């Protein structure tokens, strides 16, 4: 159900990646009031620029079946930016997020959909 794909040019270790994935998973489950057993988070290192510089930055693509409202998105953005700022030492002004709500028929799992 809820998922977050995090891409960043920050240096990632296995330990740091694990910590970030667990923290973001917990935050998403809490903010969206969804069972964490359905939350998926991935993080990967990529080459990217933001504002024409190679300074450390991140992009998060947040997806869910419902729950991504205007109010929720503001709270999620605040919490997730704070988490990445702390863990990766990225200024929140260098973190972009997108939010996408999906119909249950457009989210597959376990050989079927959530519909």
């Amino acid at each position: 159900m809820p998922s977050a794909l995090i891409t960043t040019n920050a240096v990632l270790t296995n330990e740091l990646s694990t910590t970030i994935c667990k923290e973001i998973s917990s935050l998403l489950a809490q903010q969206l009031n969804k069972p964490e057993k359905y939350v998926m988070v991935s993080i990967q290192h990529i080459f990217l620029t933001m504002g024409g510089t190679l300074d450390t930055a991140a992009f998060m693509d947040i997806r869910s079946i419902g729950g991504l409202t205007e109010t929720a998105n503001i709270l999620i953005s605040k919490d997730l930016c704070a988490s990445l700022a702390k863990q990766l030492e990225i200024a929140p002004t260098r973190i972009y997020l997108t939010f996408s709500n999906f119909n249950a028929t457009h989210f597959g799992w376990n050989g079927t959909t959530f519909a």
Side-chain angles (χ1 to χ4, degrees), residues 52-105:
T53 75
L54 295 171
D55 295 344
T56 307
F59 174 76
M60 286 190 276
D61 180 26
I62 312 300
R63 300 173 186 211
S64 183
I65 298 171
L68 295 174
T69 64
E70 183 177 341
T71 302
N73 292 356
I74 291 169
L75 295 172
I76 292 167
S77 180
K78 178 183 174 189
D79 286 349
L80 272 54
C81 284
S83 175
L84 285 188
K86 176 184 170 191
Q87 298 292 336
L88 295 175
E89 299 179 4
I90 299 174
T93 58
R94 295 197 49 83
I95 301 171
Y96 277 166
L97 295 91
T98 57
F99 300 93
S100 302
N101 264 318
F102 284 86
N103 184 296
T105 60

Side-chain angles (χ1 to χ4, degrees), residues 2-6 24 28 40-43 60-63 80:
S3 66
L5 172 60
I6 305 164
I24 298 299
L28 276 179
M40 178 182 283
V41 178
S42 64
I43 187 166
M60 286 190 276
D61 180 26
I62 312 300
R63 300 173 186 211
L80 272 54

Side-chain angles (χ1 to χ4, degrees), residues 23-65:
E23 186 169 319
I24 298 299
S25 178
S26 177
L27 288 170
L28 276 179
Q30 290 171 16
Q31 288 287 1
L32 293 172
N33 197 30
K34 305 269 187 179
E36 191 171 3
K37 70 180 185 176
Y38 293 116
V39 178
M40 178 182 283
V41 178
S42 64
I43 187 166
Q44 61 185 352
H45 178 271
I46 62 168
F47 294 97
L48 65 87
T49 63
M50 180 176 183
T53 75
L54 295 171
D55 295 344
T56 307
F59 174 76
M60 286 190 276
D61 180 26
I62 312 300
R63 300 173 186 211
S64 183
I65 298 171

